[in-house]
Structure formats: structure tokens, C-alpha cells
């Protein structure tokens, strides 16, 4: 949309991790730069990697600047 928000549904094998999902998405769309994003898993900001379960929601928030 006009704010650059995109929603995607991704399928990954059972037992996959957030980092594996991130790599898969970057390979599918090289325009995505997810390396510097804040990652949220099911409404919780995460640091490090987590295993994914069916129905998990992963969100990526790009850093913003302002003043």
C-alpha cells in the first residue's frame, strides 16, 4: 500500500525457525532488506531465533528516522 506495508503468507517446513523464514523470504524477493528489521513473533518482540509453529504470525518492522 502507500506506506509500504505488505502482507504475505509463507509456508515453511515444520520445525523451521524465524531465521529460516527470513532467508526464504529474502530469496523469494531480493528487494526485501529484512536484516535490520525489528522482528515480532505473535505480538512479542524477539531477539535471537525461535522455532515456528502452525499459525504463528511473524512481522518485520523497518527502522524509521524522523525528527
Amino acid at each position: 500500500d502507500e506506506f509500504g506495508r505488505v502482507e504475505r503468507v509463507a509456508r515453511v517446513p515444520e520445525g523451521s525457525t524465524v531465521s529460516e523464514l527470513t532467508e526464504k523470504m529474502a530469496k523469494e524477493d531480493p528487494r526485501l532488506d529484512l536484516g535490520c528489521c525489528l522482528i515480532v513473533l505473535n505480538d512479542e518482540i524477539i531477539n535471537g531465533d525461535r522455532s515456528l509453529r502452525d499459525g504463528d504470525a511473524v512481522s518485520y518492522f523497518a527502522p524509521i528516522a524522523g525528527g
Side-chain angles (χ1 to χ4, degrees):
D1 68 11
E2 65 207 65
F3 298 105
R5 186 178 73 198
V6 176
E7 185 173 319
R8 297 173 187 215
V9 175
R11 306 268 187 249
V12 292
E14 187 174 333
S16 294
T17 63
V18 172
S19 64
E20 291 169 336
L21 171 64
T22 303
E23 288 175 23
K24 173 184 170 55
M25 292 179 59
K27 285 180 185 174
E28 290 177 359
D29 188 346
R31 297 173 298 162
L32 295 175
D33 182 12
L34 302 175
C36 61
C37 291
L38 175 74
I39 301 175
V40 176
L41 174 61
N42 299 325
D43 298 324
E44 178 187 342
I45 296 171
I46 62 170
N47 293 312
D49 212 4
R50 301 275 178 92
S51 294
L52 296 170
R53 296 180 294 192
D54 188 35
D56 279 346
V58 179
S59 303
Y60 298 89
F61 293 92
I64 57 171

